Amino acid sequence: CSKDIAVLHCNKSTALYNLGKWRESVLSAYQSLRWDPEYVKAYYRAGHSLVMLSDSYGAVSMFHKGLTLLNASADRTQVADFVAGIFISVNDERVFPPAFPQAYDYIFSARFDALTWQAVIERLAQKGKWRSCLLLLSEKKELPSNLRVNQVSLKSLFETCELYGHGEKMQEVVELVKWLISMGAKVETIGAYLLHAVIRLCIK
């Protein structure tokens, strides 16, 4: 019975999230966890709602707790969702919240396989979370050597390069592009006119 009530509260949280009522969504997710502290989906919903409220500390904590509850047989997609959630939580942060280092260490000690990491990178790329991709680039030696990311489009990386402003080095963008291409991203995905895209990037 308690699990059924937890599911109901989590469903309510999802509905509120889709309505843009993120604070109410968080509260419903917390209600769900009061009824069933091991209901992984509620951690996921709470995490994304906290991201929308710019509460990176709370978001990382929720995603991390949910990730640790997933067992070894968990679906790769679900694992990738939680790992990506942790990185999404800090994508726009200049100073990482205290909860992040522990979650970061856990992620790289878990030794996820190449398909899981592929899904993580593709999720980050689809959402334009390029600073989070740079974090992964800094730890590329810890990632599987057979990692491939064929579905990543470089177009949005070039279009959103202003995210790297405020004194950050453009060289980081270069390294990120080279890294993604080395894993299978296609240069052609920058757009139909590659030189134009590069020129626009240089102008910015």
PDB file of all heavy atoms in Angstrom, residues 23 73 110:
ATOM      1  N   ARG A  23       8.496  23.858  -7.728  1.00  0.00           N
ATOM      2  CA  ARG A  23       8.542  23.763  -6.264  1.00  0.00           C
ATOM      3  C   ARG A  23       7.515  22.752  -5.760  1.00  0.00           C
ATOM      4  O   ARG A  23       7.819  21.922  -4.897  1.00  0.00           O
ATOM      5  CB  ARG A  23       8.281  25.138  -5.637  1.00  0.00           C
ATOM      6  CG  ARG A  23       8.651  25.214  -4.158  1.00  0.00           C
ATOM      7  CD  ARG A  23       8.648  26.647  -3.666  1.00  0.00           C
ATOM      8  NE  ARG A  23       9.550  27.506  -4.408  1.00  0.00           N
ATOM      9  CZ  ARG A  23      10.870  27.530  -4.213  1.00  0.00           C
ATOM     10  NH1 ARG A  23      11.425  26.754  -3.304  1.00  0.00           N
ATOM     11  NH2 ARG A  23      11.630  28.347  -4.922  1.00  0.00           N
ATOM     12  N   SER A  73      21.762  -4.874 -11.940  1.00  0.00           N
ATOM     13  CA  SER A  73      20.965  -5.321 -13.084  1.00  0.00           C
ATOM     14  C   SER A  73      20.089  -4.209 -13.665  1.00  0.00           C
ATOM     15  O   SER A  73      19.290  -4.453 -14.556  1.00  0.00           O
ATOM     16  CB  SER A  73      20.072  -6.502 -12.671  1.00  0.00           C
ATOM     17  OG  SER A  73      19.166  -6.095 -11.659  1.00  0.00           O
ATOM     18  N   ALA A 110      32.347   3.401 -10.134  1.00  0.00           N
ATOM     19  CA  ALA A 110      31.355   2.380 -10.475  1.00  0.00           C
ATOM     20  C   ALA A 110      31.704   1.602 -11.744  1.00  0.00           C
ATOM     21  O   ALA A 110      31.154   0.539 -12.002  1.00  0.00           O
ATOM     22  CB  ALA A 110      29.978   3.013 -10.626  1.00  0.00           C
TER      23      ALA A 110
END
